[in-house]
Amino acid sequence: MNENKFLKFFAISAFIVLMFVSCWATTESLHLLLPSWPVVFFWAISIIFFVVASLGTKMIVDSFNQNIQLENRGWRLLGGVLLLVVFWIVFSLPTNTHTFFYRSVIKDVLIKELQDTKDKLQDLASDGEAGKIIAQEKADFRNKTDALFAKFSAEINNPGIPGWGDRAENALIDMEAELGKIQRLKLRSNSLSDRQELIKTMREQVDNLLESKLASVYDTRLANINRGLDKDEIQRLIGEISKTQNKIAAMPVDNDEPTQLTRNNLTQAFAIINKYCDVLKTEFENTHPNVAEEAEKVLKEYDLPKIVKLESVIVVWTDFFAGRYAGRGFLFWIIIAALVDIAGFIFFDMAFKRVD
């Protein structure tokens, strides 16, 4: 008799401990999903649902127990399965798995996301991908102009027919097609010094036209692309992210990250990155399709911070079924969550086992 009392006491105690662990995990998951709701509400719901799921397992076990008198075994079995599906498989198991998984990955995800986002913002502070493209276009245009002027100079200094002949004029016409009207200067004589003086003066004129063209076309284009970028805000966000990184580096374990401030900073950074990628798609879709495609990928990747997505049990499970957590140990945490609950159900049945 004493042994039976001890086993019953142990089973009740074990059930309460496991119920507490399970309900804590459920409450954490629901509070992450709905942070403005009172925690006590989630605790109440979690406890009630866990007890109901436990009753469901007991109904299933009792329906198979031939040592007790029981009416409507089939209906009890069906009712128990229904309770188990609704209150455990649909509710408790997913939320518990979510909490265990969230706790296991959030720090690593946060550290990587902070660095990736800061890198993106620093790139935007330096004019981003558009700045690189336009800088290359400017360099190509400058090289093209230099090549045309080199051709003009070579014709002026042509040993066979030195001076301003048809070929030199044709080279100048080609430059005009790129730079606009170029003033013709007189070559006083075909002496080497006069030719060099002419080339020097023409070079100064071409350089002025070149710089004007670069500013009016390429610099203006870049300014229009970056018009929506708030560089001061970008620098502020870089500074805030750096502060968070330093905080984590100083306290790798005992820190409260991610805080609401960190979530807000990342969300604002993502909005800036998305807005810029929209501009890239529009601006370079025809001339640089690879850049537009990459911008489209970034738009999909930076729709919402990963640390925010991880707070939603619905999003996490959706991403799991989409194969986005391969190698992250999600299946392991499903098993752990299931074992905790199943053990609780077993001890519940042991504690309240019917003996006729």
Side-chain angles (χ1 to χ4, degrees), residues 141-341:
F141 186 78
R142 188 184 295 275
N143 291 337
K144 184 177 181 180
T145 303
D146 289 345
L148 290 171
F149 191 84
K151 183 178 179 182
F152 170 77
S153 300
E155 293 301 333
I156 294 293
N157 285 324
N158 189 329
I161 45 172
W164 196 318
D166 291 341
R167 292 181 179 177
E169 179 64 22
N170 290 336
L172 201 64
I173 290 171
D174 289 340
M175 271 191 288
E176 282 186 319
E178 302 294 337
L179 299 174
K181 185 63 178 176
I182 299 175
Q183 182 183 0
R184 269 60 171 175
L185 302 177
K186 271 192 173 184
L187 180 60
R188 288 180 295 183
S189 72
N190 276 342
S191 66
L192 178 60
S193 60
D194 283 347
R195 280 184 277 133
Q196 293 304 104
E197 181 65 27
L198 173 70
I199 291 170
K200 178 183 176 184
T201 307
M202 290 295 293
R203 178 78 250 192
E204 291 173 356
Q205 182 185 174
V206 167
D207 282 345
N208 288 334
L209 290 171
L210 174 62
E211 294 305 320
S212 177
K213 180 86 172 188
L214 292 175
S216 64
V217 176
Y218 297 100
D219 291 347
T220 300
R221 183 185 179 196
L222 181 60
N224 288 335
I225 292 172
N226 290 342
R227 186 170 50 205
L229 286 181
D230 186 340
K231 296 292 184 74
D232 291 337
E233 177 66 6
I234 288 173
Q235 291 297 341
R236 184 192 73 80
L237 288 170
I238 291 173
E240 289 294 327
I241 290 173
S242 294
K243 288 179 185 176
T244 304
Q245 288 178 312
N246 293 336
K247 175 183 174 182
I248 294 172
M251 297 183 293
V253 178
D254 298 326
N255 62 73
D256 57 352
E257 293 293 343
T259 62
Q260 188 57 47
L261 176 61
T262 297
R263 295 185 193 95
N264 292 342
N265 287 333
L266 286 175
T267 300
Q268 291 168 25
F270 273 44
I272 292 173
I273 294 168
N274 271 291
K275 185 176 180 180
Y276 184 75
C277 286
D278 277 331
V279 174
L280 283 184
K281 280 179 58 182
T282 304
E283 185 70 25
F284 297 110
E285 189 170 11
N286 296 324
T287 58
H288 296 78
N290 59 318
V291 173
E293 289 174 9
E294 186 61 30
E296 180 65 29
K297 291 179 183 177
V298 173
L299 279 170
K300 292 178 180 178
E301 182 181 353
Y302 283 78
D303 58 335
L304 195 67
K306 291 184 179 66
I307 63 166
V308 176
K309 288 182 179 180
L310 280 170
E311 293 173 353
S312 170
V313 58
I314 299 169
V315 173
V316 166
W317 275 91
T318 300
D319 286 347
F320 168 69
F321 287 122
R324 295 191 181 100
Y325 294 134
R328 284 283 191 175
F330 196 87
L331 284 173
F332 171 77
W333 293 114
I334 293 176
I335 294 169
I336 294 297
L339 290 176
V340 168
D341 287 344

Side-chain angles (χ1 to χ4, degrees), residues 11-12 61 63 66 85 99 132 208 236 241 251 332 336-337:
I12 292 174
V61 172
S63 68
Q66 299 299 322
V85 168
T99 294
K132 298 171 190 175
N208 288 334
R236 184 192 73 80
I241 290 173
M251 297 183 293
F332 171 77
I336 294 297

